Amino acid sequence: MTNAPLTDLTVLIVEDEPLIAMSLEDVLVDQGVTCLGPAGSVAAAFVMIDAGGFDIALLDVNLRGERVDAVADRLAAAGIPFVFTTGHGAEGLPDTHRDRPVIAKPFRDQDIIDALARHRPR
């Protein structure tokens, strides 16, 4: 557990499940985080990435059957950190991003807070 403040952080949420996205936003807003999204598809995520204005992203690996690999590639190319959120385990991650941080679903609120504090840009 970490106590690093997140109040100056803006997070892009890439998640297709409305209840999970709302839960993430509630947890983050309670921590003083500004949230963008949720982006529920790869196309929506691309639009939000192109618009910018965020520090780090939370990426669900599967968006209504659509893999998020291209979103991860675009974030990596832009030097924007991201954390995968998935119920598919490490084998579900894109091969080129298996070294990225991952939070297994179902996750606890504190798991999200800790991951953002650890992997946020410095």
Side-chain angles (χ1 to χ4, degrees), residues 21-37:
M22 287 186 319
S23 176
L24 282 169
E25 187 171 9
D26 287 346
V27 168
L28 296 177
V29 167
D30 285 348
Q31 295 295 311
V33 172
T34 301
C35 296
L36 299 180

Side-chain angles (χ1 to χ4, degrees), residues 1 23-24 27 85 103-115 118:
M1 185 189 312
S23 176
L24 282 169
V27 168
T85 61
I103 300 170
K105 289 180 180 175
F107 44 75
R108 298 172 306 132
D109 296 350
Q110 193 63 49
D111 296 334
I112 296 296
I113 294 164
D114 290 347
R118 264 193 317 277

